[in-house]
């Protein structure tokens, strides 16, 4: 998938940059299938216009109790996630198998075109800021996507204000 095509579905950014301000909105809710869900919308304020990278984590209590991360606005790309707490207190998230899902189609994404993601998140008590580092690498062609930075958090009660329009995916996938 090209960066431009991925950009239309908020999966990949077609631009690069350094010192790019960004906003992350994390919104918990129950999806249309009653599953615990968190949508993560990252907006990068690039020159020209902002660009988004969307992901929706769905907890599937059935079976293994796994977490599946759907990428983009239409949940066509799904990755199983493995989470671990690291000795330094950071949260490490690694992607597992990637799948393409559309209607009855549910196929594994070949390694040749897929990427392995690693996300590390932590809180720096000295500065009072969260730190995040994201790397997505294809084992054949190298880095595909990444960002890192620090940010502060503001908390809003979803029960009080609801989910802001435009944050939920356009379509939701029933398979987790």
């Amino acid at each position: 998938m090209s960066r431009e095509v991925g950009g239309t579905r908020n999966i990949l950014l077609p631009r690069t940059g350094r010192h790019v301000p960004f906003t992350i909105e994390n919104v918990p809710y129950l999806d249309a299938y009653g599953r615990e869900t968190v949508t993560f919308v990252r907006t990068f304020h690039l020159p020209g216009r902002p660009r988004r990278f969307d992901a929706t984590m769905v907890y599937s209590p059935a079976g293994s109790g796994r977490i599946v991360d759907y990428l983009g606005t239409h949940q066509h790309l799904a990755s199983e996630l493995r989470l671990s707490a690291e000795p330094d207190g950071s949260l490490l998230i690694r992607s597992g198998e990637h799948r393409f899902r559309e209607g009855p189609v549910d196929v594994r994404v070949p390694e040749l075109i897929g990427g392995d993601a690693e996300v590390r998140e932590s809180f720096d008590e000295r500065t009072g800021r969260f730190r995040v580092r994201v790397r997505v690498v294809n084992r054949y062609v190298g880095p595909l996507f990444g960002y890192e930075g620090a940010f502060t958090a503001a908390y809003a009660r979803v029960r009080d204000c609801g989910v802001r329009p435009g944050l939920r995916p356009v379509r939701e996938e029933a398979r987790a």
Side-chain angles (χ1 to χ4, degrees):
M1 175 181 308
S2 77
R3 285 187 182 187
E4 198 56 51
V5 170
T8 64
R9 296 284 174 105
N10 296 345
I11 297 171
L12 294 173
L13 300 182
R15 308 257 332 256
T16 62
R18 295 196 179 277
H19 307 291
V20 175
F22 65 95
T23 305
I24 302 175
E25 296 175 87
N26 302 336
V27 183
Y29 57 92
L30 293 179
D31 72 3
Y33 302 100
R35 300 172 301 196
E36 292 181 46
T37 302
V38 179
T39 289
F40 300 83
V41 173
R42 300 146 185 100
T43 304
F44 297 89
H45 304 282
L46 290 157
R49 72 178 179 98
R51 299 290 187 143
R52 282 179 37 172
F53 173 57
D54 297 5
T56 303
M57 285 187 189
V58 176
Y59 174 69
S60 175
S64 65
R66 64 187 179 155
I67 295 176
V68 175
D69 198 22
Y70 286 99
L71 304 178
T73 56
H74 289 67
Q75 296 193 349
H76 289 111
L77 294 175
S79 296
E80 189 169 335
L81 298 180
R82 298 183 304 270
L83 287 72
S84 62
E86 295 299 289
D88 66 359
S90 64
L91 172 65
L92 180 62
I93 304 170
R94 288 192 168 119
S95 63
E97 181 179 82
H98 305 293
R99 303 198 65 82
F100 175 81
R101 295 176 169 169
E102 173 62 35
V105 175
D106 182 5
V107 296
R108 186 174 184 279
V109 174
E111 283 185 5
L112 184 62
I113 61 173
D116 296 320
E118 182 176 287
V119 177
R120 185 175 300 269
E121 296 181 359
S122 61
F123 183 74
D124 184 339
E125 292 192 32
R126 186 179 51 80
T127 63
R129 296 167 63 95
F130 290 91
R131 299 214 39 87
V132 61
R133 186 179 72 223
V134 176
R135 296 282 178 259
V136 180
V137 177
N138 175 283
R139 58 183 76 201
Y140 300 103
V141 298
L144 298 176
F145 177 77
Y147 64 92
E148 65 181 282
F151 59 94
T152 58
Y155 300 94
R157 290 178 50 90
V158 174
R159 283 191 192 127
D160 296 340
C161 61
V163 177
R164 183 172 68 75
L167 293 185
R168 288 181 71 148
V170 172
R171 102 179 164 86
E172 293 178 341
E173 171 62 48
R175 294 167 282 211

